[in-house]
Amino acid sequence: MTQETVVRRSEPAPVAPPDPGRAVGLRVAGVDKVYPTRRGEVHALSGIDLDIGAGEFVSLVGRSGCGKTTLLRVLSGLLAPTRGTVEAGGRSAWVGGRRDDAVFAEFGLVFQEANLFPWFTVVDNVALPLKLRGVSRGDRRARAIELCATVGLTGFEDSYPRELSGGMRQRAAIARALACDPSVLLMDEPFGALDAMTRDRMNLELQQIHAVSGATVVFVTHSISEAVFLADRVVLLTPRPGRIRSITPVDLPRPRAAEVEATAGFGELVVALRRELDQED
């Protein structure tokens, strides 16, 4: 298996300011999600009210089964809320129980599994959303190569997924999600299957990508440390039915180097969130 190639640095590189006009804010009001089953209803989410600012990075944390992924799927348009409303950029995402596809046209999704097509090269996987939109072959390849550079895959554009490490496949999945310049990037434990060292490197890279893209990011994770390192705010959900227990601002300067995890301010935020989580037992 190919070893992951990364640029090693102790401090994040400076980045150009993002375009604030591209991102959109999200608003969730009174959202419930109930699943019908043969054994009765499962109440996954209850009374979710959450405003996410344009360009903000929000992490969702909580115990397994608390509804983090369900909330992300409601935000992405993959699931309809049973009750309540979802807005993106001030537009209602669901009208009369039907999804407004135009609202989600500029959303990017990244899941725990990279889900790359094994018969496509990296550059073809990354360019796929552009192909589906009718972009010419030359233009979509140029954009895909540019995105490969953004996520640290230069030199691997013509490799196949089987030739990449797990971290590199996730880089390709992130690049694919960025192909259409999304205004919103939704990520469901994208680094959960990676080893600790690769995960740390990916967190640094994701911070960089967020700064460059300017997209609004909602990030699901089981790791409180990861949530605090990446986010502007951390949203803690209660066990089922998922409700918002707390919203914690992360007032740590950006860009954040790995060394921030050794600071008192970072440690205090992590300890406070873990204490809240423990109170759910």
Side-chain angles (χ1 to χ4, degrees), residues 34-48:
V34 179
Y35 293 102
T37 71
R38 289 179 297 175
R39 297 183 178 182
E41 293 184 338
V42 174
H43 205 163
L45 296 173
S46 178
I48 300 292

Side-chain angles (χ1 to χ4, degrees), residues 207-252:
Q207 178 185 213
Q208 190 86 347
I209 290 166
H210 172 239
V212 171
S213 71
T216 304
V217 180
V218 183
F219 185 92
V220 169
T221 179
H222 277 97
S223 169
I224 292 176
S225 295
E226 182 175 64
V228 171
F229 181 82
L230 290 169
D232 297 309
R233 290 187 297 160
V234 178
V235 176
L236 176 62
L237 298 180
T238 67
R240 187 182 301 137
R243 298 181 175 90
I244 294 179
R245 177 181 174 90
S246 66
I247 300 177
T248 302
V250 181
D251 297 322
L252 300 172

Side-chain angles (χ1 to χ4, degrees), residues 73-74 77-81 86 92-100 104:
R73 288 178 177 269
V74 168
L78 296 176
L79 286 177
V86 178
S92 294
W94 297 87
V95 179
R98 299 189 65 179
R99 188 177 81 167
D100 183 350
F104 300 102

Side-chain angles (χ1 to χ4, degrees), residues 11-258:
E11 295 289 338
V15 296
D19 177 0
R22 289 188 51 256
V24 301
L26 301 172
R27 170 168 289 182
V28 181
V31 162
D32 285 22
K33 181 60 184 177
V34 179
Y35 293 102
T37 71
R38 289 179 297 175
R39 297 183 178 182
E41 293 184 338
V42 174
H43 205 163
L45 296 173
S46 178
I48 300 292
D49 294 306
L50 180 63
D51 286 341
I52 300 172
E56 187 176 16
F57 196 121
V58 169
S59 291
L60 304 179
V61 297
R63 298 202 178 279
S64 295
C66 72
K68 302 185 296 296
T69 293
T70 298
L71 178 54
L72 197 79
R73 288 178 177 269
V74 168
L75 288 172
S76 70
L78 296 176
L79 286 177
T82 304
R83 284 177 289 276
T85 60
V86 178
E87 295 180 2
R91 295 180 59 181
S92 294
W94 297 87
V95 179
R98 299 189 65 179
R99 188 177 81 167
D100 183 350
D101 289 342
V103 172
F104 300 102
E106 295 186 359
F107 279 38
L109 304 177
V110 183
F111 300 101
Q112 184 169 348
E113 297 295 329
N115 293 322
L116 302 176
F117 289 102
W119 54 87
F120 283 174
T121 63
V122 167
V123 74
D124 287 336
N125 269 289
V126 172
L128 183 58
L130 299 173
K131 182 179 181 179
L132 296 175
R133 292 191 177 198
V135 177
S136 70
R137 180 177 177 82
D139 286 347
R140 67 178 184 255
R141 181 174 175 84
R143 175 60 175 155
I145 289 173
E146 175 187 333
L147 286 167
C148 285
T150 298
V151 300
L153 287 177
T154 298
F156 294 92
E157 295 91 343
D158 294 316
S159 299
Y160 288 91
R162 65 179 178 274
E163 299 173 314
L164 305 180
S165 69
M168 294 171 79
R169 288 193 291 271
Q170 280 302 88
R171 289 170 185 265
I174 293 171
R176 181 178 58 191
L178 294 171
C180 294
D181 295 319
S183 56
V184 177
L185 186 59
L186 304 174
M187 311 183 78
D188 188 5
E189 295 192 71
F191 310 141
L194 304 180
D195 64 85
M197 292 182 64
T198 302
R199 188 168 183 159
D200 288 345
R201 291 197 295 266
M202 293 298 293
N203 284 333
L204 287 171
E205 294 298 331
L206 178 57
Q207 178 185 213
Q208 190 86 347
I209 290 166
H210 172 239
V212 171
S213 71
T216 304
V217 180
V218 183
F219 185 92
V220 169
T221 179
H222 277 97
S223 169
I224 292 176
S225 295
E226 182 175 64
V228 171
F229 181 82
L230 290 169
D232 297 309
R233 290 187 297 160
V234 178
V235 176
L236 176 62
L237 298 180
T238 67
R240 187 182 301 137
R243 298 181 175 90
I244 294 179
R245 177 181 174 90
S246 66
I247 300 177
T248 302
V250 181
D251 297 322
L252 300 172
R254 292 187 182 275
R256 295 170 189 161

